[in-house]
């Protein structure tokens, strides 16, 4: 079946540092790819998405590019802020026989220190 | 536009009991998905309902069942509760499309003693 693997955390950075959270996936066909974020005390919310190869999703300074050749969707931000402290989940939405099924990674906890 | 709501917020049950969790989808959405999130893990897909029919199912036993109503709200029923069923149960709604964004509710925290 489909699977998503995220880099293990937690990740601790200083404010204004560069962020990369790695995400790779295994799936049949061309799934849509997502990054969701969960801020402390809040529910899951979409951060960005990409629906086909070479698409770049972006939001709030975060970016991720759908790389089919490496089956990756790494999350990046050039300069993190304390307010970016949260848990980040990479996910895919299945296609074909897996249509309607979403698969999430285990999440990466980011802490940004002032 | 109202968001996804879930009830109850917290629930404590004993092993062997049955539980029903409820979800109201976001206005205009006709698809509801349910997830189980254990502590420190990502959400695990239980099943999805589209226009009152099950549209996909994850690796959960038949004692996990659901319903979707004509107004697109949904229920998750779990029979014969086990200790390992203790988790946060999340509901998400979307407009049916495999590229679509899911909007998550705050979840129901179930504790099985």
């Amino acid at each position: 079946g489909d699977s998503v693997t995220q880099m293990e955390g937690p990740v601790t950075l200083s404010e204004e540092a560069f962020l990369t959270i790695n995400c790779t996936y295994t799936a049949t066909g061309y799934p849509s790819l997502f990054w969701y974020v969960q801020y402390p005390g809040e529910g899951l919310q979409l951060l960005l998405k990409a629906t086909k190869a070479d698409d770049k999703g972006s939001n709030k300074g975060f970016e991720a590019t759908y790389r089919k050749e490496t089956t990756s969707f790494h999350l990046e931000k050039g300069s993190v802020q304390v307010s970016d402290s949260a848990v980040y989940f990479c996910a895919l939405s299945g296609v074909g026989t897996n249509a309607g099924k979403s698969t999430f990674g285990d999440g990466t906890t980011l802490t940004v220190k002032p | 536009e109202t968001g996804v709501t879930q009830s109850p917020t917290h629930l404590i049950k004993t092993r062997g009991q049955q539980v029903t969790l409820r979800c109201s989808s976001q206005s205009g959405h006709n698809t509801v998905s349910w997830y189980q999130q254990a502590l420190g893990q990502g959400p695990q897909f239980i099943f999805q309902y589209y226009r009152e029919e099950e549209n996909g199912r994850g690796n959960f036993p038949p004692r996990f069942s659901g319903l979707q109503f004509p107004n697109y709200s949904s229920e998750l029923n779990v029979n014969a509760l086990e200790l390992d069923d203790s988790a946060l149960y999340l509901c998400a709604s979307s407009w049916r499309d495999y590229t679509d964004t899911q909007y998550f509710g705050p979840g129901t925290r179930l504790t099985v003693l």
Side-chain angles (χ1 to χ4, degrees), chain B residues 8-33:
Chain B
T9 305
H10 297 89
L11 203 51
I12 299 175
K13 292 285 189 178
T14 55
R15 197 169 47 183
Q17 285 189 311
Q18 179 265 342
V19 68
T20 297
L21 310 181
R22 295 178 174 82
C23 171
S24 291
S25 59
Q26 184 158 315
S27 177
H29 288 177
N30 57 16
T31 302
V32 172
S33 301

Side-chain angles (χ1 to χ4, degrees), chain A residues 30-32 34 36 38 42-46 49 51 89 92-95 99-107, chain B residues 33 35 37 40-45 47-48 55-58 88 90 97-106:
Chain A
Y30 297 84
S32 291
F34 304 83
Y36 286 87
Q38 188 168 34
E42 299 184 16
L44 276 167
Q45 56 186 277
L46 178 72
K49 70 178 183 181
T51 60
F89 294 93
L92 68 82
S93 181
V95 296
K101 299 179 183 178
S102 294
T103 303
F104 281 74
D106 282 339
Chain B
S33 301
Y35 296 86
Q37 186 177 18
Q41 296 184 16
Q44 298 294 311
F45 176 76
F47 42 57
Q48 182 183 84
N55 186 48
R57 190 177 182 92
L88 181 68
L90 297 169
D97 184 274
Y98 74 93
T99 67
D100 197 32
T101 300
Q102 295 186 80
Y103 293 83
F104 284 82

Side-chain angles (χ1 to χ4, degrees), chain A residues 42-108:
Chain A
E42 299 184 16
L44 276 167
Q45 56 186 277
L46 178 72
L47 180 59
L48 53 84
K49 70 178 183 181
T51 60
K52 60 182 186 295
D54 299 324
D55 265 3
K56 178 185 284 188
S58 61
N59 186 26
K60 300 181 180 180
F62 290 89
E63 293 183 341
T65 301
Y66 190 143
R67 301 288 189 199
K68 187 173 185 333
E69 62 276 12
T70 55
T71 61
S72 65
F73 193 55
H74 305 321
L75 182 68
E76 297 182 337
K77 186 174 185 182
S79 176
V80 294
Q81 305 300 311
V82 172
S83 57
D84 294 326
S85 298
V87 183
Y88 293 82
F89 294 93
C90 184
L92 68 82
S93 181
V95 296
T97 56
N98 288 328
K101 299 179 183 178
S102 294
T103 303
F104 281 74
D106 282 339
T108 301

Side-chain angles (χ1 to χ4, degrees), chain B residues 52-65:
Chain B
E52 303 178 59
E53 292 194 3
E54 190 177 287
N55 186 48
R57 190 177 182 92
N59 296 325
F60 281 80
R63 58 189 185 84
F64 285 79
S65 63

